[in-house]
Amino acid sequence: MTSPYLPILFFFACGVGFAALSVLGLGVIGPKKYNAVKYEAYECGIQPSPRAEAGGRFPVKYTTVAMLFIIFDIEAVFLIPFAVAFDQLGLAALAAMTVFLINAFFIADAYVWRRGGLEWD
């Protein structure tokens, strides 16, 4: 009689094997020519900014956009269960979710907009 965990072990072994084969195969068939451009940081097609430790300023717009995406993710994490259980929750939950959305969405977006985080040069 086979174990019920055998399919799980099989898929785990397939995943590990595929990852190992991909990493080893890249070293064998991948390009061998490297130059200075390959080692530079890529910042959305814009010339890389000087490093902060060398006295240059780090552009904050990338961080601001990343924080906006985090805010949207947090909203989705709370809104999806709320939408699923909306019938059973009642008016108090609707009021709590409205306050949450006003805080998380409108105030955060207004702050980022006022600071110029949504303007691209």
Side-chain angles (χ1 to χ4, degrees):
M1 184 163 201
T2 61
S3 172
Y5 296 109
L6 192 61
I8 296 172
L9 183 63
F10 173 73
F11 281 113
F12 181 74
C14 285
V16 170
F18 178 74
L21 203 78
S22 297
V23 170
L24 294 174
L26 180 66
V28 173
I29 63 173
K32 305 287 189 281
K33 295 180 181 179
Y34 295 104
N35 54 24
V37 177
K38 292 276 188 187
Y39 290 115
E40 285 187 13
Y42 179 72
E43 295 181 3
C44 302
I46 302 170
Q47 283 287 12
S49 61
R51 298 194 184 278
E53 60 263 8
R57 299 184 111 192
F58 184 80
V60 182
K61 290 183 181 183
Y62 303 111
T63 308
T64 307
V65 172
M67 287 160 78
L68 279 176
F69 280 119
I70 290 172
I71 289 170
F72 291 140
D73 288 344
I74 290 172
E75 287 175 5
V77 164
F78 284 107
L79 276 176
I80 291 172
F82 175 75
V84 169
F86 180 69
D87 293 339
Q88 295 92 11
L89 294 177
L91 192 59
L94 179 63
M97 190 54 68
T98 304
V99 170
F100 169 73
L101 286 177
I102 288 172
N103 276 334
F105 186 68
F106 293 114
I107 293 175
D109 286 344
Y111 175 77
V112 170
W113 184 24
R114 192 166 180 198
R115 300 278 299 186
L118 300 176
E119 297 173 7
W120 294 96
D121 297 332

